[in-house]
Amino acid sequence: MPSLRSRALSAALIAAGRRRRFGSAEAVRTRVAESMRRPASHLPPRSLGRVAEVSRTFVGAWPVYEVSPLGVEPAARVLYVHGGGYINELVRAHWSLIRTLVTQAQARVVVPAYILAPRGTADRTVPVAADLLSGLIASGGAGGTVLLGDSAGAGLALAAAQRLRDRNGAQPSRIVLISPWLDVSMSHPDQAAIEAGDPMLARPGLREAGRLYAGNLAADDPRVSPLHGSFAGLAPLTVFTGTRDVLSTDSRELLAKARAAGAEVEFIEEPGLPHDYPLLPVPEGRAARDRIVELVRAAAAES
C-alpha cells in the first residue's frame, strides 16, 4: 500500500490534469512548437550555489554543468541524464536530486542539457552521451563512476552505455535507471490497462515524442529504444519503477532481458507509485533517493 502522502500526490496530479501534456500527439507538437519559439531555461537554481560549486562548459552545442561539493574533494563521479520525454528541459526536481547527490554522497555530478527533439535525435544524441560517459570514466581520481538517468534520460543513458560497451568494452561502476523509458513505440500489451491509472503519462503523446526523437531511425533501433539492444557486458543495474507508471512494462522487460543475458540487476518496484516517484516529495521517494546515495557511496569506495 502506498503511503498516504503518495496517494494524495497522485490524486493532486490527476486533478491538475498533469497527464494532458502527453494526452495526444497534437498536445506534444504544440508544446514542442512553443518550446522552439520560447525555449525553457535549464539553469540550476541559485540556491544550489550555496552548497555546491557549479560551473558550465560546452560539449559541441550541449551546455554541460558540473556540480561538486564545496570545499571537499569529490568521492565519486556521476553522469546524470535528465528526463522529460526528450522534449523538456531540466526542472527543479532534477536539480533537487543533483543537490542530494552532491551534499549527501559527496559526488561530482556532470549534467548535460542535451539538445531536445526534434533538433536532438537519437543518432546525434547517443554518441555525444557515450563520449561524455567515456570521458568521465577515464578522468580518474578516487572512486568510481555511476551513470544515472530518469525517464527518457534513463533511456538515453542506457543507450549510451550500450554504445560505449560496443566501442571499447568500458562501463561505469553502476547504472541506475529511474522509471526508464526504453521502448518509444509504446506497444506493450499491458500498457493500456496501466495507463488508465497513471496520473502523469499517456501513450499518444509519448508515441509522438518518441517519433520526434527517433528522427530517421526506426522505433526499434537500439539507439532510440535500448530495450532492443544487447544487455550482455553491461555494468550492474539498479532499476526503480512504480506500478502506476505506464512505462513500468519497460522496466519489467529490462529485468527479464538483462538477467537472461547474465547482467546483474537490482529491481525495485513500488506498488501504487507513479512515474519518477524517486524524484517526488513522498516517503517512498525519499527511500529511493537514500538507496541511490548508498550506491554512489559504494562506487566512491572503489579504487
Side-chain angles (χ1 to χ4, degrees):
M1 175 71 71
S3 66
L4 179 61
R5 188 174 180 85
S6 295
R7 283 178 280 160
L9 181 57
S10 290
L13 291 169
I14 293 170
R18 181 70 176 269
R19 200 168 71 171
R20 284 198 296 269
R21 297 183 309 164
F22 289 99
S24 67
E26 182 180 2
V28 165
R29 288 193 293 269
T30 299
R31 185 175 186 86
V32 168
E34 291 173 351
S35 295
M36 293 182 77
R37 285 195 300 269
R38 186 178 299 176
S41 172
H42 47 66
L43 293 172
R46 291 184 180 179
S47 60
L48 186 61
R50 293 199 289 267
V51 297
E53 296 180 9
V54 183
S55 61
R56 185 176 69 175
T57 58
F58 284 85
V59 175
W62 290 19
V64 178
Y65 295 93
E66 185 171 312
V67 189
S68 299
L70 280 174
V72 178
E73 189 68 24
R77 299 171 295 279
V78 177
L79 177 62
Y80 174 59
V81 191
H82 73 88
Y86 297 116
I87 60 171
N88 294 298
E89 290 287 6
L90 285 146
V91 296
R92 185 167 292 274
H94 299 136
W95 288 113
S96 179
L97 176 60
I98 293 161
R99 180 186 180 118
T100 296
L101 295 171
V102 172
T103 59
Q104 296 186 23
Q106 301 294 297
R108 168 190 168 210
V109 187
V110 174
V111 187
Y114 54 88
I115 304 301
L116 302 176
R119 288 176 55 222
T121 50
D123 59 332
R124 301 172 180 173
T125 303
V126 172
V128 182
D131 288 345
L132 278 172
L133 178 59
S134 178
L136 198 58
I137 293 170
S139 64
T145 301
V146 174
L147 174 61
L148 169 63
D150 77 278
S151 192
L156 175 52
L158 181 58
Q162 290 172 338
R163 182 179 179 91
L164 187 58
R165 173 208 56 203
D166 294 344
R167 183 189 297 170
N168 59 18
Q171 284 293 282
S173 306
R174 180 168 290 271
I175 301 168
V176 180
L177 306 177
I178 298 171
S179 299
W181 188 20
L182 305 177
D183 183 355
V184 303
S185 73
M186 302 303 298
S187 58
H188 195 285
D190 293 343
Q191 287 179 335
I194 300 169
E195 180 185 38
D198 188 322
M200 298 178 69
L201 299 176
R203 290 177 296 162
L206 286 171
R207 285 196 197 98
E208 179 64 10
R211 184 188 69 80
L212 295 174
Y213 177 63
N216 294 323
L217 300 177
D220 62 356
D221 188 298
R223 289 169 289 180
V224 179
S225 297
L227 191 62
H228 297 286
S230 169
F231 288 87
L234 292 179
L237 294 125
T238 295
V239 180
F240 295 90
T241 189
T243 62
R244 289 190 73 181
D245 180 358
V246 71
L247 299 181
S248 61
T249 55
D250 287 7
S251 293
R252 294 172 195 152
E253 290 290 313
L254 177 152
L255 178 65
K257 291 188 173 188
R259 286 184 173 169
E264 176 188 329
V265 186
E266 177 187 21
F267 187 75
I268 301 167
E269 182 177 74
E270 284 288 347
L273 269 289
H275 182 69
D276 257 3
Y277 82 86
L279 276 66
L280 299 178
V282 297
E284 297 90 344
R286 186 161 50 250
R289 293 190 294 275
D290 288 346
R291 177 57 185 152
I292 294 169
V293 168
E294 288 176 357
L295 293 169
V296 175
R297 287 175 175 167
E302 296 186 2
S303 57

